[in-house]
Amino acid sequence: MRVAEDWFAHRDLGDGVTLIWERWANSGLRCNIWLVQGRDRNLLIDSGLGLRSLREELAFLSEKPVICLASHNHFDHIGGHHEFETRLCHRAEAEVLSAPTRDNTLIENFVELVMFEALPYAGFAVARYEIVPAPATGFVDEGDVIDLGDRHFSVLHLPGHSPGSIALWEQASGLLFTGDVIYDGELYDFLHHSSIPDYLESMARLRALPAETVHAGHYASFDRARLHALIDDYVAGKRLSVCPAGARSAESC
Ligand SMILES: [Zn+2]
Ligand SMILES: [Zn+2]
């Protein structure tokens, strides 16, 4: 397999939001890396697989101080955290950032060479792929506010996919960043630290938000109607799966 030249692609989506992605990792593997520009500092939500240097390839990441935040600490979201001085995550997953292993980041179970269309560097081997330790320099939790000077993002703690999953909500714009709590694809609630009861509570909270645009951890962005449809599908599926065999419908059990 050839070695990629440019590893990262990026696109300005308006609202001071830039989507960055790893173009040669397949769409199920790579996450959406979100840069939100503020007056005083920028916010980077997630940092990708960590297979190439974000800062070396994307000079605009060094124009202002950057808060590098993890929506949660699975490998596809934290690989570039070590490149940034300010690193935030939820305390429930602190250990993964400070002492990542192939197991606790989920690399061992999820990464295969067929997921790449080009190599990040010569000699890349999936069996040796690891995340560089990058201990959090601070923690975020429910109700905290990330202040970019002229923009303010409220932290919502929304466990279910993982115990430390968070979303970021900008009330002034209606922008919602959801990480892997919800995206327009198959949701993962079967991981070793997933919790379906927590996930259902998190979905109810998301549904109550007057979100205009949702920028998720994977796949395309969507609007409030799609957000509601995705939530309702998930919740209906869980009701069916816990119904007794004789129940005729989700409503009857
Ligand atoms: Zn995840
Ligand atoms: Zn993910």
Side-chain angles (χ1 to χ4, degrees):
M1 199 184 300
R2 70 188 175 84
V3 174
E5 289 182 17
D6 293 345
W7 185 252
F8 295 101
H10 59 94
R11 186 164 68 233
D12 182 350
L13 298 189
D15 300 317
V17 174
T18 301
L19 168 63
I20 301 165
W21 70 98
E22 291 151 295
R23 63 169 90 212
W24 304 113
N26 79 15
S27 64
L29 183 68
R30 68 186 183 220
C31 84
N32 292 326
I33 302 168
W34 297 105
L35 177 70
V36 184
Q37 291 168 278
R39 186 191 62 209
D40 300 340
R41 57 194 73 85
N42 293 337
L43 173 63
L44 190 70
I45 303 170
D46 295 332
S47 61
L49 296 162
L51 294 170
R52 290 262 288 257
S53 169
L54 278 161
R55 296 189 75 152
E56 280 176 20
E57 278 186 49
L58 304 175
F60 58 81
L61 287 176
S62 300
E63 285 170 1
K64 279 185 186 171
V66 178
I67 298 170
C68 184
L69 177 131
S71 66
H72 66 303
N73 289 349
H74 291 154
F75 69 93
D76 47 329
H77 299 261
I78 58 168
H81 267 55
H82 66 96
E83 295 192 63
F84 299 90
E85 287 172 17
T86 304
R87 304 181 293 268
L88 305 180
C89 72
H90 191 275
R91 198 179 292 275
E93 294 176 27
E95 195 187 325
V96 184
L97 262 187
S98 58
T101 67
R102 285 173 56 90
D103 283 322
N104 71 10
T105 59
L106 304 183
I107 286 174
E108 190 68 40
N109 290 336
F110 284 95
V111 184
E112 297 174 59
L113 191 59
V114 293
M115 296 168 165
F116 297 92
E117 289 176 40
L119 298 177
Y121 51 83
F124 169 70
V126 166
R128 292 197 297 274
Y129 168 38
E130 291 183 334
I131 299 296
V132 176
T137 59
F139 297 109
V140 289
D141 206 342
E142 177 69 29
D144 287 347
V145 174
I146 308 237
D147 180 358
L148 305 186
D150 55 344
R151 310 184 68 162
H152 301 88
F153 289 84
S154 301
V155 175
L156 309 172
H157 180 212
L158 299 172
H161 172 72
S162 71
S165 280
I166 59 166
L168 293 167
W169 165 238
E170 188 179 40
Q171 191 162 20
S173 64
L175 285 182
L176 177 64
F177 293 87
T178 57
D180 284 3
V181 179
I182 196 159
Y183 47 71
D184 199 343
E186 184 202 352
L187 299 177
Y188 282 28
D189 62 5
F190 48 79
L191 305 168
H192 70 99
H193 55 185
S194 297
S195 162
I196 291 172
D198 286 352
Y199 219 141
L200 289 167
E201 273 185 44
S202 293
M203 289 298 198
R205 292 193 62 206
L206 278 182
R207 208 180 191 292
L209 285 176
E212 296 291 336
T213 302
V214 181
H215 293 311
H218 295 272
Y219 310 118
S221 299
F222 46 91
D223 63 9
R224 192 189 311 171
R226 185 67 185 148
L227 174 66
H228 286 184
L230 291 167
I231 292 170
D232 294 348
D233 277 358
Y234 177 80
V235 172
K238 292 303 135 187
R239 279 210 207 102
L240 282 171
S241 68
V242 298
C243 273
R248 286 197 313 253
S249 70
E251 284 68 38
S252 66
C253 68

